[in-house]
Amino acid sequence: MKKWKTLDSEFLVDAPWLKVAKEKCKLPNGKVIDDFYTLWQPDWVLILARTKDGKWVLTEQYRHGTGGLEVEFPAGIINAGESPEQAALRELQEECGYTSDTGTYLGQFPVNPDRHRGKFHVVFIDNVERAGSTNFDETEEIETFLMTDEELQKKIASGEFNHPLQIAGYYKWKLSAKNLAQK
């Protein structure tokens, strides 16, 4: 199987948090698609933070895409020059007031391989402690709470925790933890 060839690309939206490109692509069979649209967003980090007593640090905040309050793991944009682990530690402090010295990088995923050029990275941070206050961006209003693994799985099963990328990151950790325990 061969890759498509991009013949032309034009940004229709070029904002700091989102870019939309109209691309002209040539397929391996010679067919040309004149208007294939791709989305570009900054890479971000998903933070799977767990306290010393094994509870997950979760957030609830309004999400305009769904028009509702959503239960999620903490997450945030990776700044220029930051590693995903550094971004995870910074964002966890800023959004939730929890700290740790180190995190474990579990890998990266494409946001949507079909049309999206962004990636998200998954970092697991164990034994976090509440230490200090939050520092929200001007567009953020976040509530933080703790939940057991059993409670989290019930919320995933019921659809109350419904962010598919975050669920994928959680199950990446779950499978990694299971594999580590078997060795």
Side-chain angles (χ1 to χ4, degrees):
M1 191 163 290
K2 295 181 181 178
K3 294 181 179 183
W4 294 8
K5 183 176 181 183
T6 303
L7 302 175
D8 190 34
S9 184
E10 169 192 7
F11 282 113
L12 304 177
V13 175
D14 191 358
W17 304 111
L18 175 69
K19 298 178 189 307
V20 178
K22 178 181 176 184
E23 297 181 338
K24 183 176 183 178
C25 300
K26 184 176 181 179
L27 282 58
N29 66 6
K31 178 175 174 46
V32 173
I33 300 173
D34 290 318
D35 57 352
F36 191 88
Y37 297 92
T38 55
L39 303 173
W40 307 59
Q41 285 181 287
D43 286 358
W44 57 278
V45 62
L46 170 63
I47 308 155
L48 305 176
R50 196 169 58 176
T51 63
K52 289 182 180 189
D53 61 350
K55 292 186 179 175
W56 293 109
V57 176
L58 294 168
T59 64
E60 184 176 64
Q61 60 186 310
Y62 175 76
R63 293 299 194 187
H64 196 64
T66 61
L69 297 176
E70 301 296 340
V71 175
E72 300 175 341
F73 288 107
I77 300 297
I78 300 172
N79 291 334
E82 262 185 331
S83 70
E85 297 91 338
Q86 291 168 329
L89 295 170
R90 176 185 52 76
E91 286 285 348
L92 184 62
Q93 171 66 51
E94 289 176 2
E95 291 189 355
C96 304
Y98 281 82
T99 63
S100 180
D101 293 331
T102 186
T104 302
Y105 185 74
L106 297 180
Q108 69 181 18
F109 291 91
V111 172
N112 177 346
D114 181 40
R115 295 187 180 269
H116 204 289
R117 300 279 166 86
K119 295 178 288 206
F120 75 99
H121 301 261
V122 182
V123 174
F124 172 64
I125 308 173
D126 209 6
N127 299 315
V128 300
E129 295 179 324
R130 184 118 184 151
S133 60
T134 56
N135 183 22
F136 299 143
D137 293 339
E138 64 183 32
T139 60
E140 293 177 322
E141 185 178 338
I142 301 170
E143 288 191 30
T144 300
F145 58 96
L146 302 176
M147 189 178 293
T148 67
D149 197 59
E150 183 178 288
E151 292 168 329
L152 175 60
Q153 288 183 39
K154 285 181 182 176
K155 289 203 181 291
I156 292 170
S158 74
E160 187 176 345
F161 187 110
N162 61 12
H163 193 306
L165 302 179
Q166 293 202 357
I167 292 169
Y170 168 75
Y171 279 102
K172 171 72 171 172
W173 169 82
K174 195 103 170 131
L175 294 170
S176 297
K178 184 178 180 180
N179 288 336
L180 291 174
Q182 291 177 352
K183 290 183 178 180

